[in-house]
Amino acid sequence: MAPIKSVAIIGGGVSGLAAGGLLARNGIKVELFEANAKIGGCCSTTNVGGYTFNDGALYLALPSMLDRVFAKVGLDRPSVLPLKRITAPQTTVLPNGDKVTFGDGLRVTVEKKNGTVNEAALKKELNDMMKRWEPALRLLTEDILVNPLSFSRILAKGWRHLPKFGGTVADELKRLFSDDSVRAAMSGVLLYTGLPPEKQPAISVLGLVTLFSDGFHLPEGGMGKVPEALSQALLARGGEIHLNTRVKKIVVKDGRARGLEVDGRGLVEADAVISTVSGMLTFGSLLDDADSPRKMKRMASEANLSHSAFSVQLGLRNKIDAPSHSHCFLPLMENQAEVFAPCDDGVKWLVYDAPTVTLPELAPAGGSVIEMYPPVQRDFPIDDWSDEKKEAILAKAVEALARVHHLDIAVKRVSSPKEFRNNLNLYRGAVYGLSPQVAPWNHFPHQTPIRGLYQTGQTTYPGYSVGRAATSGILTAEALMAD
């Protein structure tokens, strides 16, 4: 087979930018096509009236994985993308009046409405959690997740950890922590999955271990600085980024991807194509039906999707009294399925972020940014999201926040699943594409059955999150160059 000299990439999120940067570094001509007016996809930000809002991703976890991605494309991450650790990650208030606050490292403070917590016992439980799970985290982030998916590698290197991956997060937290309020706060960290603790696989506990070891971070200037920094590697080596350029179709001839049909440009020929949109869109929409492999079409049509999201973002003129980045008013762990009940009658369980606690520069001087995701009906028809429906949910969210903080609102920004679909090209508005319950071997493959067509992004291994999606781009580019 002739060597690949040119590659067309669909999508300018972190996976596409990482793949493009590595390919360009190896002398391959890269053209990247982004439908929106800016790069970043789910890791972009939007400035409205001086307030910087996240379009998708809220923070960075696993910074070592991102460091590796940057090194692969020839960038020194600390130099081009300085990070600020979130030293006050979360405060949780329980119905009984207990308050649990996570600080930096293993610092956990429990304020009991009645009685006191056994601090020595809690410290031991935290250390026991880290002793049990941190070796698995290191194995995954330093070896398993940064290499192509391999059952033999997992078995050879991770067999000692496999027994504890059985069960659920609820099972594991009951095993680890004796205090009900502490368990509720711990499980609250993992509700971003869109699943209650009893439906999350036990391995999701690694999200907690990440918080207490590596920590969560924000790039200075906001999440949009991640794709901005990654794009430097692609552009510096002659790669091209085309904004406001929508791809209509992947062109296949004689069983091989030969390029793209692009709005306003017609046929763009390339030796290979990388699609960063979800596998559901690649095999369900971007390929002619006759060209889409039957197995991939079945995967796309039967995909177990993640939850869709509704976001409310407020720019405040005032500085709110918020001690932590994330604030949760939660029931006990056993009842946290209630957090996902639609807020038609008001927001009962209030969960929101205040990124200006860590990065005040995201708002004008003296101001604040609040971001929250009130629960909505998951089977609500996506095209029925009207302005009136959005305004009704916004009003309920603001009412709930106003019970906790004084709100001098300067800017409001609301996004329904319809906007997430239309603006970020998320299939049916599903924020992660595939559900966190989907096993890695059921993700879409990097090397597709169509020669010259590669798939990357959060519906491929190693899954969702900024660091993982960017790593997927690197693995895909390496697979392409090895072909």
Side-chain angles (χ1 to χ4, degrees):
M1 187 180 73
I4 293 174
K5 296 181 179 179
S6 62
V7 174
I9 298 178
I10 307 169
V14 294
S15 60
L17 293 167
L22 181 56
L23 294 172
R25 192 183 189 195
N26 283 271
I28 295 173
K29 179 186 175 183
V30 176
E31 284 193 82
L32 183 149
F33 300 90
E34 169 55 51
N36 291 320
K38 60 187 175 184
I39 57 173
C42 292
C43 191
S44 57
T45 50
T46 296
N47 188 283
V48 182
Y51 297 87
T52 299
F53 297 117
N54 293 309
D55 293 335
L58 302 177
Y59 55 81
L60 290 174
L62 304 174
S64 63
M65 290 188 71
L66 202 60
D67 291 351
R68 184 180 182 279
V69 168
F70 273 65
K72 284 277 187 176
V73 302
L75 297 174
D76 178 59
R77 198 278 307 156
S79 299
V80 298
L81 185 72
L83 304 180
K84 191 166 185 179
R85 184 166 177 141
I86 300 172
T87 56
Q90 180 169 299
T91 295
T92 304
V93 179
L94 285 303
N96 61 5
D98 289 358
K99 181 188 291 187
V100 182
T101 301
F102 297 154
D104 201 12
L106 287 176
R107 189 158 52 87
V108 176
T109 303
V110 183
E111 300 173 49
K112 287 281 191 181
K113 188 73 173 180
N114 297 299
T116 59
V117 70
N118 185 328
E119 293 186 7
L122 175 57
K123 184 176 181 179
K124 182 179 184 304
E125 289 170 348
L126 287 164
N127 287 324
D128 287 347
M129 176 182 73
M130 301 304 287
K131 183 178 179 180
R132 175 172 165 81
W133 283 98
E134 192 168 15
L137 178 67
R138 296 294 159 235
L139 175 64
L140 287 169
T141 58
E142 296 171 9
D143 189 327
I144 303 298
L145 297 180
V146 297
N147 285 290
L149 180 62
S150 165
F151 291 108
S152 59
R153 179 185 291 271
I154 292 171
L155 289 174
K157 298 195 173 187
W159 63 271
R160 293 180 180 85
H161 302 290
L162 294 178
K164 59 176 173 268
F165 291 166
T168 67
V169 163
D171 297 331
E172 185 64 15
L173 291 181
K174 287 177 184 175
R175 179 188 185 282
L176 289 169
F177 296 102
S178 57
D179 185 88
D180 287 344
S181 296
V182 171
R183 276 202 301 266
M186 295 288 177
S187 58
V189 172
L190 304 175
L191 293 177
Y192 67 86
T193 60
L195 299 167
E198 65 271 15
K199 292 188 177 181
Q200 295 177 38
I203 195 172
S204 296
V205 167
L206 291 175
L208 271 176
V209 179
T210 299
L211 169 64
F212 288 118
S213 58
D214 299 343
F216 295 163
H217 300 76
L218 291 177
E220 293 181 7
M223 294 296 292
K225 295 298 182 180
V226 178
E228 182 181 310
L230 274 175
S231 69
Q232 296 177 21
L234 174 57
L235 295 172
R237 292 176 173 86
E240 299 178 25
I241 296 176
H242 305 282
L243 301 177
N244 295 309
T245 308
R246 183 170 292 275
V247 172
K248 297 171 65 176
K249 187 173 72 172
I250 298 169
V251 177
V252 177
K253 294 180 182 179
D254 301 323
R256 182 176 181 86
R258 298 291 183 179
L260 304 173
E261 187 178 324
V262 179
D263 259 351
R265 291 191 53 175
L267 175 63
V268 175
E269 294 184 322
D271 295 331
V273 171
I274 294 177
S275 176
T276 76
V277 300
S278 72
M280 293 79 78
L281 288 173
T282 298
F283 298 103
S285 302
L286 289 179
L287 287 163
D288 283 343
D289 189 62
D291 294 325
S292 189
R294 182 179 301 175
K295 180 180 178 181
M296 296 293 99
K297 283 194 291 187
R298 186 169 64 251
M299 281 185 68
S301 64
E302 298 175 357
N304 181 9
L305 303 182
S306 78
H307 65 295
S308 55
F310 186 102
S311 72
V312 171
Q313 298 170 308
L314 304 176
L316 306 181
R317 298 182 185 91
N318 61 299
K319 183 177 180 179
I320 62 169
D321 180 21
S324 299
H325 177 92
S326 182
H327 302 77
C328 309
F329 293 80
L330 296 175
L332 294 176
M333 184 181 73
E334 293 74 14
N335 301 318
Q336 285 181 357
E338 296 176 14
V339 173
F340 303 107
C343 62
D344 297 336
D345 298 322
V347 178
K348 181 178 180 181
W349 303 107
L350 184 61
V351 179
Y352 60 98
D353 290 344
T356 41
V357 170
T358 302
L359 292 180
E361 64 266 29
L362 299 180
S368 305
V369 169
I370 291 182
E371 300 182 319
M372 65 181 295
Y373 293 81
V376 295
Q377 182 182 334
R378 295 195 175 187
D379 59 355
F380 188 77
I382 195 166
D383 286 314
D384 288 353
W385 280 102
S386 63
D387 289 341
E388 292 75 17
K389 176 77 170 174
K390 289 161 58 179
E391 285 295 322
I393 294 176
L394 169 63
K396 291 180 174 66
V398 170
E399 179 185 10
L401 282 166
R403 294 197 295 264
V404 182
H405 299 291
H406 169 64
L407 305 176
D408 185 3
I409 300 174
V411 173
K412 301 174 185 177
R413 184 176 186 236
V414 180
S415 299
S416 73
K418 186 176 181 179
E419 278 75 41
F420 281 106
R421 181 194 67 182
N422 295 347
N423 299 339
L424 295 180
N425 298 300
L426 295 180
Y427 181 73
R428 297 183 184 175
V431 291
Y432 303 136
L434 298 176
S435 167
Q437 293 175 308
V438 175
W441 43 89
N442 290 324
H443 288 189
F444 288 88
H446 294 134
Q447 294 172 281
T448 79
I450 299 175
R451 288 176 296 140
L453 176 60
Y454 299 82
Q455 179 72 41
T456 193
Q458 62 180 6
T459 60
T460 66
Y461 183 79
Y464 64 91
S465 86
V466 176
R468 288 186 177 195
T471 297
S472 173
I474 295 297
L475 294 175
T476 303
E478 290 176 337
L480 183 154
M481 291 187 293
D483 264 3

